[in-house]
mmCIF file of all heavy atoms in Angstrom:
data_model
loop_
_atom_site.group_PDB
_atom_site.id
_atom_site.type_symbol
_atom_site.label_atom_id
_atom_site.label_comp_id
_atom_site.label_asym_id
_atom_site.label_seq_id
_atom_site.Cartn_x
_atom_site.Cartn_y
_atom_site.Cartn_z
ATOM 1 N N PHE A 3 -3.399 2.601 -15.688
ATOM 2 C CA PHE A 3 -2.784 2.436 -14.378
ATOM 3 C C PHE A 3 -3.499 3.340 -13.412
ATOM 4 O O PHE A 3 -3.447 4.571 -13.533
ATOM 5 C CB PHE A 3 -1.288 2.787 -14.437
ATOM 6 C CG PHE A 3 -0.573 2.595 -13.143
ATOM 7 C CD1 PHE A 3 -0.059 1.352 -12.789
ATOM 8 C CD2 PHE A 3 -0.409 3.641 -12.254
ATOM 9 C CE1 PHE A 3 0.607 1.167 -11.599
ATOM 10 C CE2 PHE A 3 0.256 3.470 -11.059
ATOM 11 C CZ PHE A 3 0.765 2.224 -10.723
ATOM 12 N N VAL A 6 -4.072 4.808 -6.288
ATOM 13 C CA VAL A 6 -4.860 5.341 -5.190
ATOM 14 C C VAL A 6 -3.946 5.497 -3.997
ATOM 15 O O VAL A 6 -3.296 4.546 -3.594
ATOM 16 C CB VAL A 6 -6.035 4.412 -4.863
ATOM 17 C CG1 VAL A 6 -6.877 4.992 -3.726
ATOM 18 C CG2 VAL A 6 -6.896 4.140 -6.079
ATOM 19 N N PHE A 13 -8.140 2.247 5.912
ATOM 20 C CA PHE A 13 -8.960 1.244 5.259
ATOM 21 C C PHE A 13 -8.497 -0.150 5.634
ATOM 22 O O PHE A 13 -7.296 -0.421 5.722
ATOM 23 C CB PHE A 13 -8.897 1.418 3.724
ATOM 24 C CG PHE A 13 -9.483 2.698 3.240
ATOM 25 C CD1 PHE A 13 -8.697 3.783 3.008
ATOM 26 C CD2 PHE A 13 -10.863 2.805 3.050
ATOM 27 C CE1 PHE A 13 -9.248 4.996 2.577
ATOM 28 C CE2 PHE A 13 -11.420 3.994 2.615
ATOM 29 C CZ PHE A 13 -10.623 5.097 2.394
ATOM 30 N N GLN A 17 -11.616 -3.450 2.515
ATOM 31 C CA GLN A 17 -12.003 -2.193 1.860
ATOM 32 C C GLN A 17 -11.079 -1.855 0.706
ATOM 33 O O GLN A 17 -11.520 -1.378 -0.332
ATOM 34 C CB GLN A 17 -12.029 -1.055 2.884
ATOM 35 C CG GLN A 17 -13.163 -1.133 3.850
ATOM 36 C CD GLN A 17 -13.049 -0.087 4.940
ATOM 37 O OE1 GLN A 17 -11.984 0.107 5.534
ATOM 38 N NE2 GLN A 17 -14.150 0.590 5.219
ATOM 39 N N VAL A 22 -10.114 -1.586 -5.242
ATOM 40 C CA VAL A 22 -9.486 -2.099 -6.463
ATOM 41 C C VAL A 22 -10.528 -2.659 -7.429
ATOM 42 O O VAL A 22 -10.531 -2.362 -8.625
ATOM 43 C CB VAL A 22 -8.443 -3.171 -6.099
ATOM 44 C CG1 VAL A 22 -7.978 -3.941 -7.317
ATOM 45 C CG2 VAL A 22 -7.243 -2.526 -5.400
ATOM 46 N N THR A 26 -11.465 -0.770 -10.960
ATOM 47 C CA THR A 26 -11.205 -1.569 -12.172
ATOM 48 C C THR A 26 -12.486 -1.719 -12.974
ATOM 49 O O THR A 26 -12.496 -1.511 -14.200
ATOM 50 C CB THR A 26 -10.609 -2.938 -11.811
ATOM 51 O OG1 THR A 26 -9.363 -2.727 -11.122
ATOM 52 C CG2 THR A 26 -10.371 -3.779 -13.056
ATOM 53 N N GLY A 31 -15.678 -0.363 -17.670
ATOM 54 C CA GLY A 31 -16.919 0.178 -18.191
ATOM 55 C C GLY A 31 -16.686 1.281 -19.219
ATOM 56 O O GLY A 31 -17.489 1.476 -20.141
ATOM 57 N N GLU A 33 -13.489 1.666 -20.968
ATOM 58 C CA GLU A 33 -12.554 1.243 -22.020
ATOM 59 C C GLU A 33 -12.911 -0.085 -22.693
ATOM 60 O O GLU A 33 -12.380 -0.403 -23.746
ATOM 61 C CB GLU A 33 -11.136 1.147 -21.452
ATOM 62 C CG GLU A 33 -11.005 0.093 -20.379
ATOM 63 C CD GLU A 33 -9.738 0.204 -19.559
ATOM 64 O OE1 GLU A 33 -8.979 1.161 -19.759
ATOM 65 O OE2 GLU A 33 -9.505 -0.687 -18.705
ATOM 66 N N MET A 37 -9.993 -4.874 -21.900
ATOM 67 C CA MET A 37 -8.872 -4.202 -21.231
ATOM 68 C C MET A 37 -8.741 -4.598 -19.764
ATOM 69 O O MET A 37 -7.776 -4.214 -19.096
ATOM 70 C CB MET A 37 -9.034 -2.689 -21.347
ATOM 71 C CG MET A 37 -8.948 -2.184 -22.776
ATOM 72 S SD MET A 37 -7.330 -2.467 -23.518
ATOM 73 C CE MET A 37 -6.393 -1.182 -22.699
ATOM 74 N N SER A 39 -7.778 -7.320 -18.238
ATOM 75 C CA SER A 39 -6.554 -8.055 -17.869
ATOM 76 C C SER A 39 -5.312 -7.177 -17.893
ATOM 77 O O SER A 39 -4.263 -7.597 -17.381
ATOM 78 C CB SER A 39 -6.365 -9.253 -18.788
ATOM 79 O OG SER A 39 -6.129 -8.825 -20.126
ATOM 80 N N GLU A 46 -1.682 2.631 -2.511
ATOM 81 C CA GLU A 46 -0.475 2.962 -1.746
ATOM 82 C C GLU A 46 -0.870 3.635 -0.455
ATOM 83 O O GLU A 46 -1.707 4.533 -0.457
ATOM 84 C CB GLU A 46 0.410 3.922 -2.523
ATOM 85 C CG GLU A 46 1.065 3.344 -3.739
ATOM 86 C CD GLU A 46 1.989 4.355 -4.394
ATOM 87 O OE1 GLU A 46 3.178 4.409 -3.991
ATOM 88 O OE2 GLU A 46 1.523 5.084 -5.269
ATOM 89 N N SER A 50 1.076 8.020 8.317
ATOM 90 C CA SER A 50 0.263 8.970 9.080
ATOM 91 C C SER A 50 1.089 10.222 9.369
ATOM 92 O O SER A 50 2.233 10.132 9.812
ATOM 93 C CB SER A 50 -0.167 8.304 10.408
ATOM 94 O OG SER A 50 -0.943 9.193 11.183
ATOM 95 N N ALA A 54 -0.676 16.220 3.918
ATOM 96 C CA ALA A 54 -1.147 17.485 4.477
ATOM 97 C C ALA A 54 -2.120 18.174 3.516
ATOM 98 O O ALA A 54 -2.045 18.002 2.296
ATOM 99 C CB ALA A 54 0.027 18.420 4.750
ATOM 100 N N GLY A 56 -3.633 22.074 2.983
ATOM 101 C CA GLY A 56 -3.509 23.482 3.407
ATOM 102 C C GLY A 56 -2.394 23.691 4.411
ATOM 103 O O GLY A 56 -2.479 24.550 5.282
ATOM 104 N N THR A 62 -3.794 9.385 10.700
ATOM 105 C CA THR A 62 -4.808 8.326 10.589
ATOM 106 C C THR A 62 -6.007 8.664 11.465
ATOM 107 O O THR A 62 -7.159 8.567 11.020
ATOM 108 C CB THR A 62 -4.200 6.961 11.000
ATOM 109 O OG1 THR A 62 -3.100 6.683 10.157
ATOM 110 C CG2 THR A 62 -5.230 5.847 10.929
ATOM 111 N N GLU A 63 -5.763 9.097 12.683
ATOM 112 C CA GLU A 63 -6.837 9.425 13.605
ATOM 113 C C GLU A 63 -7.686 10.588 13.071
ATOM 114 O O GLU A 63 -8.912 10.584 13.203
ATOM 115 C CB GLU A 63 -6.311 9.748 15.002
ATOM 116 C CG GLU A 63 -7.416 9.938 16.025
ATOM 117 C CD GLU A 63 -8.375 8.758 16.135
ATOM 118 O OE1 GLU A 63 -7.924 7.597 16.113
ATOM 119 O OE2 GLU A 63 -9.601 8.996 16.224
#
Side-chain angles (χ1 to χ4, degrees):
F3 182 86
V6 180
F13 294 96
Q17 288 173 313
V22 168
T26 299
E33 63 195 4
M37 295 296 284
S39 65
E46 291 184 88
S50 180
T62 301
E63 188 55 42

